[in-house]
Amino acid sequence: MTRTLLLHPRDNVAIALDDLQPGDAGATEPIQQGHKCARKDIAKGEYLRRYGQIIGVASQDIPAGSHVHSHNLMMSTARDKKGATGAPQPLPPAETPLTFEGFHRADGQVGTRNYLGVLTSVNCSGSVARFICEAAEKAGLLDAYPNIDGLVPIVHGSGCGMAGSGPGYDILQRTLAGYARNPNFGGILLVGLGCEVLQLSQLVKDRKITKDGPLRYMSIQQSGGTQKTIALGLAHLDSLAQFANQASRAPAPLSKLTLGMQCGGSDGASGFTANPALGVASDLLVRHGATSILSETSEIYGAEHLLLERATTPAVARALQDKISWWEDYCAQHGATMDNNPSPGNKRGGLTTILEKSLGAVAKAGQAPLNGVFDYAAPLTTPGLVFMDSPGYDPCSVTGQIASGANLIAFTTGRGSVSGYMPTPCVKLASNSGLFDRMGDDIDINCGDIAEGVDVMSKGEEIFAALIATASGQRTKSEAQGFGGVEFVPWQIGAVL
C-alpha cells in the first residue's frame, strides 16, 4: 500500500512514505520515498509549506500530484518569523529521580567512560602521540587496569602556522582544554613539539602536575626526540593508568549527563521520525536536571524563530540572533550562502532547501525552554536545553560539544553514518527502516517505525532508556567497531600563515 503523510493542515505538499508511481496516492509521476508530492496546483512564485512553515518558493507552476524538489522549488528569502516571548513554559520536573552508573571525578563531574587521552598541541606531535598509544597497546600496558576503557590519541591538523591570538587561536585552545576537562577522560597526557604557536603552557596554565594527578605533559624537542618521547610517554601513561584505574562505576543522578545532539545524512523522514523522537528523549533528560546541547547553527537557519520563542531571557534570544547574523556575514565573505548547506545526500533523501532541512533539525530540541547560547567548545554554565554555535559538519560540531562537556552523544541519520567520537559514546538513530535494515551493524535504534504507526512518545522513551544504559557502560554499535580515532575535528577559522 502506497502512502503519503500530511505534516500540517497548512502544507501544500505531502511526504511520500513509499515509492510512488503515477496513480498512487494522487501522484502523477514517480516520486521516491521521503520526497514531496504537490497536494494541489501551485503557481510560480507561491510559497511551499511543510510543517506549516515556508520551505521555499515555486520556481515554476507545479500541477497537483507532481514531484516537488530542486527542479521546481528554490530558496526563499521570506520565512515565517516570531519574536522571543521571554516566558516559555518550563517542563515539569521528573516525578521519580533516576540514576546511571558513572565514573565520579574530583571536580564533581561524572564520566560515562574512563579513557586515557593522549592530546596533541600541534599537528607536528600527532604521529608521536599515535606511536605512544601503539607502543602502549603492543606492550599490554592497560592489561593490569580493568577499569580503564582504552587509550585515545587526540590528533589534529592545526596548532601552528596561525596567528597567536584571535578567533582561530581561541577556538583551538578552548577545544583542546575542553577535551582535557571532559569527564570521560580519567587521565590526560599532553604532547607538543616545542616550537609551535599554541604552547603547552597555554593549555596547562595553572593546572598542577602531581604524581597522583590526572594530567602530564611533555614536548618532543625537550624530551630528546621521537624514541625518547615514546619511552617517557609510556612511563607517564602507566602513572596515569594507576590513578585512573582507582575509579569505578557508581550511581549518579541524571543531572550529571550532558547530551550532545546531532543529525547527519538527513533525509525526508528525519524531521518527523528520528528527530522529534530524540526531542522527546532530550526533554526527559532535561526534566531530570540534565543538559542537552543543540548545535549546527547553519542547520537551524530558517527555523531559529522556533527557538527564539522559547528563549528564557531577551539576552538568550539576542545571543542566538547574533550567531545567525555572524553566519550570514561569514558565508557572504567566502562566496557561499546558507542554502549551500543541504548536501547531495540530503537532496537524494528528499530535502531541498536549508529552510526545510532546518525545520526538521530543530525537532531534536523537543519542547524545553532555551536556557543559554554558547560559543563553540565553551564551558556550559547552565543546565537544561542550550545551544552551542558550530558548523553543520558533523565531526566538527560533535568535537565542539565534547569540548563543552558532552559525555553522551545522540546522532540521527537518514542516509547512514559510520562514525564515533571517543571518548564519548554515540547512540545512532535511523530515521527510516530501510536504512536500519541495510546498516544495522552501525545503527543502534530504528525510528523508521514511527512512519509505520509507532508513537513518537514511546520511541522517545526507548531512546531515553538507551541513553541511560549507554551512560552506564552499554557499548554502542560505533564503539563495538572501534570508531573514534579520526573524528576529532576542531573548527578552524582564520589564515594559515
Side-chain angles (χ1 to χ4, degrees), residues 62-319:
I62 305 175
S66 298
H67 181 206
V68 178
H69 199 45
S70 301
H71 62 289
N72 54 17
L73 165 59
M74 62 183 184
M75 180 70 171
S76 170
T77 56
R79 313 201 291 272
D80 291 294
K81 294 183 179 181
K82 295 180 181 179
T85 65
Q89 290 295 316
L91 298 179
E95 296 179 1
T96 303
L98 299 176
T99 62
F100 72 101
E101 297 292 315
F103 295 94
H104 293 250
R105 307 304 184 191
D107 61 2
Q109 296 188 92
V110 180
T112 63
R113 296 294 184 268
N114 192 32
Y115 282 104
L116 295 183
V118 181
L119 190 64
T120 55
S121 61
V122 65
N123 174 260
C124 304
S125 60
S127 290
V128 172
R130 292 193 185 278
F131 294 159
I132 292 170
C133 290
E134 290 167 1
E137 291 172 355
K138 184 176 180 179
L141 185 145
L142 296 184
D143 291 349
Y145 305 110
N147 290 338
I148 298 176
D149 289 306
L151 295 170
V152 183
I154 303 295
V155 302
H156 56 97
S158 186
C160 204
M162 62 190 305
S165 62
Y169 181 89
D170 292 343
I171 284 175
L172 182 59
Q173 185 181 39
R174 278 203 311 270
T175 304
L176 293 172
Y179 262 66
R181 288 191 301 266
N182 190 284
N184 288 355
F185 280 125
I188 289 287
L189 172 61
L190 289 170
V191 182
L193 177 62
C195 57
E196 60 269 25
V197 171
L198 183 58
Q199 291 283 294
L200 287 179
S201 60
Q202 293 300 308
L203 288 173
V204 176
K205 293 188 176 179
D206 60 351
R207 297 183 66 176
K208 295 180 180 180
I209 309 299
T210 61
K211 289 184 179 180
D212 61 349
L215 179 66
R216 306 283 189 276
Y217 65 91
M218 60 184 182
S219 70
I220 298 167
Q221 292 170 350
Q222 291 182 343
S223 298
T226 298
Q227 294 305 316
K228 292 178 181 178
T229 303
I230 293 172
L232 181 58
L234 290 174
H236 280 317
L237 285 180
D238 187 64
S239 172
L240 287 167
Q242 293 177 40
F243 174 83
N245 193 62
Q246 297 173 32
S248 59
R249 292 189 180 273
L254 296 193
S255 59
K256 295 298 184 179
L257 290 177
T258 298
L259 174 70
M261 299 186 293
Q262 291 288 322
C263 54
S266 300
D267 70 349
S270 295
F272 62 87
T273 60
N275 287 351
L278 177 54
V280 171
S282 173
D283 283 346
L284 289 170
L285 284 172
V286 168
R287 292 179 60 191
H288 281 84
T291 302
S292 191
I293 313 172
L294 183 68
S295 297
E296 302 176 289
T297 315
S298 56
E299 295 186 9
I300 66 161
Y301 186 76
E304 68 271 15
H305 59 284
L306 301 177
L307 296 172
L308 290 172
E309 63 188 22
R310 291 155 56 187
T312 52
T313 68
V316 170
R318 282 194 303 272

Side-chain angles (χ1 to χ4, degrees), residues 382-455:
T382 182
L385 176 66
V386 300
F387 186 84
M388 186 205 76
D389 184 32
S390 83
Y393 181 43
D394 306 321
C396 180
S397 185
V398 176
T399 295
Q401 291 179 329
I402 294 174
S404 285
N407 54 11
L408 201 57
I409 298 293
F411 190 116
T412 72
T413 181
R415 304 295 291 175
S417 171
V418 290
S419 58
Y421 301 96
M422 289 193 294
T424 298
C426 176
V427 177
K428 294 280 182 59
L429 313 172
S431 70
N432 64 83
S433 297
L435 169 63
F436 188 74
D437 292 341
R438 290 193 309 274
M439 297 180 61
D441 291 338
D442 296 281
I443 307 296
D444 298 282
I445 297 176
N446 179 30
C447 297
D449 51 9
I450 292 173
E452 299 154 17
V454 171
D455 181 66

Side-chain angles (χ1 to χ4, degrees), residues 12 42-48 54 56-62 72-74 76 78:
N12 48 13
I42 301 170
K44 179 180 179 179
E46 186 176 343
Y47 293 134
L48 277 296
I54 295 172
V57 63
S59 59
Q60 62 189 53
D61 291 340
I62 305 175
N72 54 17
L73 165 59
M74 62 183 184
S76 170

Side-chain angles (χ1 to χ4, degrees), residues 484-495:
V486 299
E487 286 88 350
F488 179 74
V489 183
W491 187 11
Q492 291 187 251
I493 296 179

